[in-house]
Amino acid sequence: MPEWIKSDTPVGYAEALAFMEARVAAIAAGEADEAIWLLEHPPLYTAGTSAKREDLVDPDRFPVYEAGRGGQYTYHGPGQRIIYVMLDLNKRGRDVRCFVRALEAWVIAALAEFNVSGEIRDGRVGVWVKRPEKGLQADGSPQEDKIAAIGVKLRRWVSFHGISINVEPDLSHFSGIVPCGIREHGVTSLVDLGLPVTMDDLDVALQATFETAFKAECAAAPPSA
């Protein structure tokens, strides 16, 4: 099992990047254990490697950081649980698609602890929930909002960056960007869904579901030649 690290006060983005860089290098060198870091950031936007300038609607609202991970623009801030995953895929099987599926399965399993049905969608990164109370889409299906984002990077088959799950962030802060480049859908949070879930509640659910989610999606495999 990885080492679980928890920060009780918001961590600056540059500080978080520096920590991940150092830990990933140590894991790759066999000098440190895998780690999962639970934290919050002060309000900020991050730009992934596919970010489009026009999707940064309000560039002066919060600091903007080049993240170096996959994906587009995301918002991070208080009330949002950040889960940075520094995991060694050399030991877990060098399969990037399987790894991302495992992250998705983990989020879905954690949300299910609160009776929230998270779902994934082809062509839309992250985890989504149906919002029938908001009406129907053009195709007659219920409206959907994003509750969790996923964006990772690998170095020497060790992962960093990871997942953000909305517990009780200020959802108006997402209006400064087009989240993940998706204009036709909104964002939500556990509290926005009417659930009195705390950050500690979510942390317990994440720890309870981690091992099962990863074992179910990707059996450990030896590194490929």
Side-chain angles (χ1 to χ4, degrees), residues 16-87:
L17 283 180
F19 179 91
M20 285 192 287
E21 294 272 357
R23 187 61 177 251
V24 165
I27 293 169
E31 298 170 353
D33 293 331
E34 296 179 309
I36 296 174
W37 187 12
L38 305 174
L39 66 148
E40 295 173 79
H41 283 307
L44 57 91
Y45 297 128
T46 66
T49 53
S50 301
K52 299 176 181 177
R53 180 62 183 80
E54 61 269 24
D55 288 344
L56 183 59
V57 179
D58 189 354
D60 299 321
R61 188 170 188 179
F62 298 124
V64 181
Y65 294 91
E66 297 291 334
R69 52 149 178 82
Q72 301 188 43
Y73 282 107
T74 59
Y75 165 76
H76 297 315
Q80 182 188 70
R81 175 51 87 212
I82 305 295
I83 308 110
Y84 285 141
V85 289
M86 289 154 276
L87 301 177

Side-chain angles (χ1 to χ4, degrees), residues 153-214:
K153 183 176 181 177
L154 298 179
R155 180 172 297 156
R156 295 174 61 188
W157 290 101
V158 180
S159 70
F160 56 123
H161 299 282
I163 300 165
S164 61
I165 301 176
N166 297 330
V167 178
E168 193 180 8
D170 185 336
L171 295 178
S172 70
H173 289 178
F174 286 88
S175 65
I177 58 171
V178 178
C180 299
I182 300 171
R183 298 176 182 275
E184 61 271 25
H185 299 282
V187 291
T188 190
S189 69
L190 288 165
V191 171
D192 183 52
L193 293 173
L195 300 169
V197 177
T198 68
M199 202 70 73
D200 288 340
D201 294 334
L202 179 60
D203 293 345
V204 170
L206 288 165
Q207 290 187 271
T209 55
F210 171 78
E211 190 171 5
T212 300
F214 270 77

